[in-house]
């Protein structure tokens, strides 16, 4: 029972208990959390709406995500400063789902991804996410940024594009065809918003740049529209049904109702339904959402650990993310994960615990019920400019350029592969191909590190007076399948020319099943050639592998010795025997 209780405590509410129970939580710390939560809540309001629009759904679903999933994940997660909600990374996955399956399909995929995240936490896979190479993460995040920025061109320039095709090159073609018909006023609003975001940091004020940018863009659009322009706003593009059957503009100023995700509408305006066929269709997308959510949330936690000196619980964070994404679709919320920019702003604003993230969620909730009428005036070009800036920040372009200039050629190849596949094809394919390519290239490099050296002529060997028809080889490096066939294949060829071989293996740290098979082939080759093989100085892991496989000394063929000196003495004296 104590062991089970320990596991339970690792999975649920790790960050909250560590910050507020294990450490003394005072009123001054609570005040800091309130101030940080209010600050980041204000930041999150336009971002949540913009990211929902970019994902292909109405803006209120982004707000639902920010306050429901944001609160639950903060309550149950494992990173004390993380702020969760809609993020830009998900846009490239969620937008095609929303186009093909509607809101209902998107919510169902989110629910499935939450279940997968909980399963990952229960299997304690949190630390394994950290083994994804940086070249892979930079590649797909850079590709995502390019796709997001491309999707914003339509609203940035006020283009009349009814629907965007799925293939990336077709998107570019459609946008290029419509570019001559750009709306000057919309472009001016977007450019002004973007300019404020770029220039505002020079003022060195604590106010984040996108807030004054959105305000200025909104005022400019309001003035242009009052003078005859037709700049689209959230109120003009989106609408909702009131209880009396009438239609309201913008976002509904009331809380979401509990609804089964499979009862929400698909792309054809009918309930998406719950069937095995539908689950099978959505499973690849759900897996991609879960994988990206795990990577984003744990990457965010690692970044915050570096900023704060604290440590997160990876499996608790996955559990919190999973439960948040299971609950939020029942209230219309889309996929959520930790957002690095908002989380960093939370810490810089003075956050002390996950309470600040819960306050942030309550601020978003308050904005939904009290400021819905004001939010309807936000212009779509300003939201597009905001997302272009988000895309630039998430691309980590300086880091990517540094990698291209300084990284080994293999890492550059992995980066370019992930980047290209994310843009041109699909992020799921990009991550899969990137990880597989990185693993293959890593194994290739590891295999090249395994060396075999003829030390027969060294002074250390000569002092034993070994016969000239014996050869002594030192092996350094892991003997896994990719290296062992080459190494033992070379030795097998040499065994036909020698009376005996001594293999000095103190530098072999790993012997896997492939290496064991190659070693057995070498012993068989020595048996056929009447060549004796002596293996000396095995480390623990290779010795354990041989013992578990039942490999035994074979008189006249193979012997094992604990040291090189004892093996050379036996070979020189002609009295080989097993001394293990």
């Amino acid at each position: 029972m104590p062991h089970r209780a320990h596991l339970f405590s690792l999975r649920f509410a790790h960050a909250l208990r560590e910050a507020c129970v294990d450490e003394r939580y005072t009123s001054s710390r609570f005040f800091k959390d309130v101030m940080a939560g209010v600050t980041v809540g204000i930041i999150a309001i336009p971002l949540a709406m913009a990211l929902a629009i970019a994902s292909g759904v109405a803006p209120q679903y982004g707000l639902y995500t920010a306050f429901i999933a944001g609160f639950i994940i903060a309550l149950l997660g494992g990173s004390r400063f993380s702020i969760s909600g809609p993020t830009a990374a998900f846009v490239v996955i969620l937008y095609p789902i929303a186009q093909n399956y509607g809101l209902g399909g998107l919510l169902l995929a989110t629910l499935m991804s939450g279940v997968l995240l909980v399963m990952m936490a229960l299997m304690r896979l949190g630390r394994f996410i950290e083994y994804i190479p940086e070249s892979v993460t930079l590649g797909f995040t850079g590709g995502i940024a390019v796709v997001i920025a491309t999707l914003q061109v339509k609203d940035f320039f006020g283009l009349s594009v009814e629907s965007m095709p799925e293939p990336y090159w077709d998107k570019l073609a459609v946008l290029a065809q419509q570019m001559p018909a750009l709306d000057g006023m919309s472009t001016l609003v977007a450019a002004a918003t973007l300019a404020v975001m770029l220039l505002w940091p020079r003022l060195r004020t604590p106010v984040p740049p996108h807030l004054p940018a959105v305000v200025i863009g909104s005022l400019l659009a309001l003035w242009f529209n009052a003078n005859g322009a037709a700049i689209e706003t959230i109120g003009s593009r989106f609408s909702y049904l009131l209880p009396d059957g009438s239609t309201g503009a913008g976002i509904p100023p009331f809380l979401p109702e509990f609804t089964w995700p499979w009862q929400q509408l698909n792309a054809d305006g009918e309930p998406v339904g719950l069937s095995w066929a539908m689950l099978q269709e959505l499973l690849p997308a759900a897996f991609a959402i879960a994988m990206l959510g795990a990577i984003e949330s744990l990457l965010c936690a690692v970044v915050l650990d570096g900023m704060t000196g604290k440590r997160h619980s990876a499996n608790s964070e996955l559990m919190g993310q999973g439960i948040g994404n299971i609950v939020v679709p029942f209230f219309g919320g889309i996929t959520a994960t930790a957002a690095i920019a908002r989380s960093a702003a939370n810490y810089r604003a003075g956050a002390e615990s996950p309470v600040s993230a819960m306050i942030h969620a309550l601020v978003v909730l308050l904005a939904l019920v009290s400021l819905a009428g004001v939010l309807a005036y936000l212009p779509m070009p300003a939201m597009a400019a905001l997302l272009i800036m988000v895309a630039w920040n998430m691309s980590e372009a300086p880091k990517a350029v540094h990698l291209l200039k300084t990284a080994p050629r293999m890492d550059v190849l992995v980066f370019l592969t992930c980047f290209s596949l994310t843009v041109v094809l699909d992020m799921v394919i990009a991550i899969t191909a990137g990880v597989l390519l990185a693993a293959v290239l890593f194994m290739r490099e590891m295999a090249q590190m395994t060396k075999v050296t003829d030390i027969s002529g060294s002074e250390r060997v000569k002092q034993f007076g070994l016969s000239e028809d014996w050869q002594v080889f030192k092996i350094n490096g892991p003997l896994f399948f990719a290296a062992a066939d080459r190494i033992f294949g070379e030795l097998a060829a040499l065994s036909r020319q020698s009376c005996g071989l001594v293999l000095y293996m103190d530098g072999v740290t790993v012997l896997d099943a492939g290496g064991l098979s190659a070693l057995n082939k070498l012993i068989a080759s020595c048996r056929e050639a009447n060549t004796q093989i002596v293996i000396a100085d095995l480390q623990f892991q290779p010795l354990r592998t041989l013992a578990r496989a039942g490999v035994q000394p074979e008189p006249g063929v193979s012997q094992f010795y604990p040291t090189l000196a004892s093996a050379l003495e036996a070979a020189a004296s002609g009295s080989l025997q097993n001394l293990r």
Side-chain angles (χ1 to χ4, degrees):
M1 283 297 292
H3 180 63
R4 289 186 179 180
H6 176 64
L7 292 179
F8 182 87
S9 67
L10 283 176
R11 291 176 187 148
F12 288 96
H14 172 88
L16 187 65
R17 288 183 295 100
E18 185 180 64
C20 300
V21 178
D22 298 344
E23 300 173 12
R24 188 163 173 263
Y25 192 68
T26 61
S27 57
S28 63
R29 293 184 69 198
F30 175 70
F31 179 74
K32 290 181 180 178
D33 278 336
V34 170
M35 296 306 296
V38 170
T39 301
V40 79
I42 294 171
I43 293 172
I45 292 164
L47 279 175
M49 297 171 67
L51 290 166
I53 295 167
S55 299
V57 296
Q60 63 265 27
Y61 298 113
L63 297 177
Y64 299 161
T65 307
F67 79 77
I68 297 173
F71 190 94
I72 293 172
I73 294 170
L75 178 67
L76 300 177
S79 178
R80 67 169 70 189
F81 300 111
S82 290
I83 300 291
S84 294
T87 61
F90 281 125
V91 168
V92 290
I93 304 177
L94 304 188
Y95 183 81
I97 300 173
Q99 295 299 302
N100 295 326
Y101 299 97
L103 177 63
L106 182 54
L107 299 186
L108 195 53
T110 299
L111 174 61
M112 294 167 65
S113 73
V115 173
L116 291 173
L117 284 167
V118 169
M119 291 171 62
M120 292 167 65
L122 292 173
M123 290 187 288
R124 308 184 70 77
L125 299 180
R127 290 297 172 191
F128 287 95
I129 301 297
E130 297 174 9
Y131 294 124
I132 296 177
E134 185 179 47
S135 53
V136 174
T137 57
L138 281 177
F140 77 73
T141 53
I144 289 169
V146 169
V147 174
I148 291 172
T150 303
L151 291 173
Q152 304 319 305
V153 171
K154 169 180 171 289
D155 286 332
F156 191 97
F157 293 104
L159 304 178
S160 298
V161 179
E162 290 186 8
S163 63
M164 294 285 280
E166 269 195 52
Y168 183 74
W169 303 118
D170 291 348
K171 288 185 178 74
L172 293 183
V174 168
L175 292 172
Q177 290 172 1
Q178 294 294 325
M179 194 59 72
L182 66 83
D183 181 71
M185 297 296 99
S186 295
T187 304
L188 185 58
V189 169
T193 305
L194 190 59
V196 173
M197 280 190 284
L198 291 171
L199 297 175
W200 188 265
R202 297 185 181 183
L203 300 179
R204 301 185 183 279
T205 69
V207 180
H210 77 270
L211 291 180
V214 169
V215 170
I216 290 172
S218 300
L219 293 174
L220 196 59
L222 189 64
W223 185 71
F224 283 153
N225 283 341
N227 287 275
I231 299 170
E232 267 202 302
T233 64
I234 286 178
S236 65
R237 178 176 294 186
F238 299 99
S239 61
Y240 58 92
L241 287 175
L242 291 165
D244 61 3
S246 59
T247 302
I251 62 175
F254 39 78
L255 297 178
E257 296 180 352
F258 178 93
T259 306
W260 300 107
W262 46 89
Q263 291 181 352
Q264 297 278 13
L265 303 182
N266 61 17
D268 297 324
E270 299 175 355
V272 70
L274 183 63
S275 65
W276 180 245
M278 177 59 67
L279 295 179
Q280 284 182 308
E281 285 186 46
L282 292 174
L283 184 58
F287 180 77
I289 292 170
M291 284 299 299
L292 183 58
I295 293 169
E296 281 284 300
S297 60
L298 296 182
L299 180 63
C300 177
V302 169
V303 170
L304 290 170
D305 286 351
M307 293 173 61
T308 65
K310 304 292 184 179
R311 285 190 62 81
H312 71 282
S313 170
N315 294 307
S316 288
E317 181 65 9
L318 288 182
M319 181 63 75
Q321 294 287 340
I323 295 174
N325 281 287
I326 288 173
V327 173
V328 75
F330 291 93
F331 297 92
I334 60 176
T335 310
T337 192
I340 295 177
R342 275 165 275 170
S343 300
N346 180 44
Y347 171 69
R348 294 193 187 102
E352 291 279 331
S353 75
V355 172
S356 63
M358 298 183 208
I359 299 294
H360 132 272
L362 296 177
V363 170
V364 176
L365 169 62
L366 182 63
L368 174 68
V369 297
S370 62
L371 298 176
V374 175
L375 296 176
Y377 288 101
L378 294 178
M380 299 306 299
M383 304 298 271
L386 174 62
L387 284 177
I388 287 174
M389 199 67 195
V390 169
W392 170 258
N393 290 333
M394 78 168 290
S395 72
E396 297 191 89
K399 216 178 204 181
V401 171
H402 180 74
L403 182 143
L404 290 171
K405 288 181 178 179
T406 62
R409 187 170 56 185
M410 295 299 101
D411 287 317
V412 173
L413 176 61
V414 171
F415 168 82
L416 293 176
T417 300
C418 285
F419 178 86
S420 303
L421 290 176
T422 301
V423 173
V424 177
L425 293 178
D426 180 80
M427 203 201 69
V428 182
I429 297 173
I431 293 179
T432 304
V435 171
L436 290 176
L437 181 60
V440 169
L441 294 175
F442 174 75
M443 286 188 288
R444 177 175 174 269
E445 291 181 4
M446 292 296 293
Q448 290 174 342
M449 289 174 61
T450 304
K451 305 290 185 183
V452 59
T453 308
D454 188 345
I455 60 172
S456 305
S458 68
E459 292 299 324
R460 183 179 182 184
V461 174
K462 282 183 176 180
Q463 64 180 331
F464 289 93
L466 198 63
S467 171
E468 289 186 0
D469 54 4
W470 277 78
Q471 289 182 283
V472 184
F473 296 96
K474 178 175 175 61
I475 303 176
N476 278 310
L479 283 174
F480 64 105
F481 64 92
D485 278 337
R486 173 176 58 85
I487 297 295
F488 288 136
E490 293 173 3
L491 293 174
L494 292 170
S495 69
R496 296 181 178 87
Q497 307 165 10
S498 304
C499 177
L501 302 176
V502 177
L503 304 185
Y504 181 31
M505 297 177 64
D506 77 320
V508 176
T509 55
V510 174
L511 180 70
D512 72 351
L516 178 63
S517 175
L519 177 59
N520 284 330
K521 290 178 184 177
L522 174 61
I523 294 173
S525 177
C526 290
R527 187 184 302 113
E528 290 178 9
N530 294 318
T531 301
Q532 297 189 75
I533 180 169
V534 180
I535 298 175
D537 211 344
L538 284 166
Q539 292 197 36
F540 176 73
Q541 194 279 339
L543 186 61
R544 183 180 63 180
T545 300
L546 292 170
R548 291 183 64 182
V551 176
Q552 296 292 330
E554 188 176 339
V557 179
S558 62
Q559 298 292 330
F560 297 85
Y561 287 84
T563 64
L564 178 63
S566 61
L568 293 174
E569 284 178 2
S573 65
S575 56
L576 283 170
Q577 56 182 329
N578 178 32
L579 299 180
R580 286 194 301 168

